[in-house]
Amino acid sequence: MTREPQKAVVAGVSVDTRHWIGGERVASSQTFTDVSPIDGSVLGEIARGTATEAAAAVAAAKAAFPGWSRTPRSERARILHAIADGVEKRLEDLAIVETTDNGALLRSHRHGVMPRVAHNFRFFADWLLRLGHEDFQTRGHTNHVSWDPAGPCALITPWNAPLMLATWKVAPALAAGNTVVLKPAEWSPLTASLLADIAAEARLPAGVLNLVQGYGSEIGSALTSHPDVRRISFTGSVPTARRIAESAVANLTPLSLELGGKSPLLVFADADLDLAVDLAVDQYDNAGQVCLAGTRLLVEEPIVEEFTRRFVEKASALKQGDPRDGTTDIGPNIHPRQLEKIDGFVQRALAAGAKAVIGGHRKEGLYYAPTLLTDVTQDSEIVQEEVFGPVLTLQTFADEEEAVRLANGTRFGLAATLATGDLERAERVSARLVAGTVWVNCFFVRDLKAPFGGSRLSGVGREGGAWSFDFYCDVKNTVTAPKGWTNHG
């Protein structure tokens, strides 16, 4: 890996480290350093934007909006498919750069994440072409529903799945006819820059997609409080979401917020135990840096000993190490600050009486041992607060009623996973769980046609399929009188 003032070269892939505003690369007077979590190597010096760059990006988006919003749906869809083609053409580049930048598994980026990035563009391009509502009649008057582009959108994305979660927002916003200012997380900014190159090669008009990089404290509020920004979509922490909401309120800018989770994974005695254990161990995916992860294992009392034995056996076999190695199961955590946070949660829990069945400690570098804590209480910090690392807790329940009470017993409501062999029970329990998504005998199965979002402190709003267009558009109803009929009163 080599560095130049305006470039990072990662595994032979050149990444421009400047902003992308109005179809041009723009430098800043200051930079911040991007470091790989794999080995601590410096990847590049990234342009560090301020309110000045934020304002320029919003101005570029505003200037491009009239042309893009009037572009026929078929042409917008064609360009989005061209962006998807570009993603697929550069899939290997995107995979190795993102793995190096955020530490997630290279095999996952190659076979799951980057193909999903391309699919995000294709799905919303195709959905756009069939978006519509049948006209309906009211006393002879015709009602016609339309989805009008809203305007420039500020999209603020996290570091744990940088490009996939960015394009989950960018693709529907562009499909809807909006222009975009994308602000990626400062801990993993590189693939967003590559996306700007890919969009330009697909002949997305200048100013339709803009990229500004920097710290949220220096650039975020300049975006979210800007009067020309008409939609804000954010994925990240609850405290940051509160600040965004406060800055957006003056302009009554609509928000979509996908926030933290403390999701339960319920295992009933009638479950397929091998499946349940597999589901539980899957929660260590991406070193536990997954907002949807079922980090609270709730296991029915009669099977807890056998479940724990099998879980420990399977989890202990996971290989932790360099995520570029195809045999690695768990890579590093993203940043020293995040590792400190994870270890702080665990050490406080142990001091309060929790028992580490496995893990409970740091390893060399930014690696944290996969951890399972037992002897925890429902009101304890480790059960109530999001850790965002490879740390699970285990509690038991006596019956269905207690299972639901424990599952719903936090401030969050993003997701829930349920393992049971009784489909009637699955229906009963699922109906009572507070969650935006419930998985029964499976995990992380997501279709873009489905609504996605959280309840309680896990978020505001839903995106996906028609819900995305409802958010990124001003939905309008036009009522037309019958020919020759007038209403004067």
Side-chain angles (χ1 to χ4, degrees), residues 336-348:
R337 205 155 71 220
Q338 184 64 19
L339 192 74
E340 288 287 342
K341 176 185 172 185
I342 293 165
D343 193 49
F345 274 116
V346 172
Q347 298 312 315
R348 289 191 298 274

Side-chain angles (χ1 to χ4, degrees), residues 266-269 298-302 395-400 402-403 406:
L266 295 82
V267 181
F268 286 90
L298 307 178
V299 182
E300 196 165 7
E301 289 172 356
Q395 297 168 270
T396 63
F397 60 87
D399 53 30
E400 196 173 295
E402 185 179 18
L406 292 174

Side-chain angles (χ1 to χ4, degrees), residues 160-410:
N160 59 319
L163 193 57
M164 195 277 286
L165 292 177
T167 57
W168 162 254
K169 302 176 188 296
V170 169
L174 295 182
N178 297 324
T179 53
V180 163
V181 179
L182 172 64
K183 192 276 179 196
E186 59 267 26
W187 287 351
S188 55
L190 296 182
T191 48
S193 183
L194 292 177
L195 177 65
D197 292 338
I198 291 169
E201 291 166 5
R203 299 189 181 278
L204 184 71
V208 174
L209 172 65
N210 304 276
L211 170 71
V212 289
Q213 304 158 140
Y215 299 124
S217 59
E218 296 177 346
I219 200 169
S221 62
L223 287 175
T224 57
S225 64
H226 200 293
D228 291 331
V229 168
R230 294 316 310 144
R231 293 293 186 273
I232 299 168
S233 182
F234 168 73
T235 299
S237 71
V238 173
T240 302
R242 288 194 172 111
R243 291 193 293 271
I244 290 172
E246 288 172 359
S247 68
V249 71
N251 301 308
L252 295 180
T253 308
L255 297 165
S256 177
L257 305 174
E258 194 265 283
L259 309 177
K262 194 67 180 177
S263 301
L265 193 163
L266 295 82
V267 181
F268 286 90
D270 57 15
D272 178 328
L273 203 53
D274 287 333
L275 170 65
V277 168
D278 286 346
L279 292 173
V281 174
D282 282 349
Q283 308 311 306
Y284 290 130
D285 182 47
N286 200 18
Q289 299 168 145
V290 178
C291 58
L292 294 161
T295 57
R296 295 185 295 128
L297 308 183
L298 307 178
V299 182
E300 196 165 7
E301 289 172 356
I303 62 167
V304 66
E305 290 186 9
E306 181 62 14
F307 174 89
T308 304
R309 184 189 68 78
R310 296 193 197 186
F311 177 92
V312 169
E313 180 180 358
K314 189 172 184 66
S316 298
L318 295 173
K319 179 180 177 182
Q320 192 165 22
D322 192 321
R324 296 166 295 193
D325 184 333
T327 64
T328 295
D329 299 304
I330 301 178
N333 290 98
I334 184 75
H335 192 274
R337 205 155 71 220
Q338 184 64 19
L339 192 74
E340 288 287 342
K341 176 185 172 185
I342 293 165
D343 193 49
F345 274 116
V346 172
Q347 298 312 315
R348 289 191 298 274
L350 294 174
K355 176 184 176 184
V357 179
I358 58 170
H361 57 87
R362 306 182 191 202
K363 301 174 80 171
E364 186 177 354
L366 293 181
Y367 296 82
Y368 203 88
T371 297
L372 177 65
L373 300 177
T374 61
D375 299 342
V376 296
T377 59
Q378 182 67 14
D379 62 352
S380 63
E381 178 192 54
I382 196 68
V383 170
Q384 292 295 321
E385 300 297 330
E386 184 178 43
V387 176
F388 222 62
V391 178
L392 310 181
T393 60
L394 175 64
Q395 297 168 270
T396 63
F397 60 87
D399 53 30
E400 196 173 295
E401 190 68 27
E402 185 179 18
V404 171
R405 178 178 62 78
L406 292 174
N408 289 338
T410 75

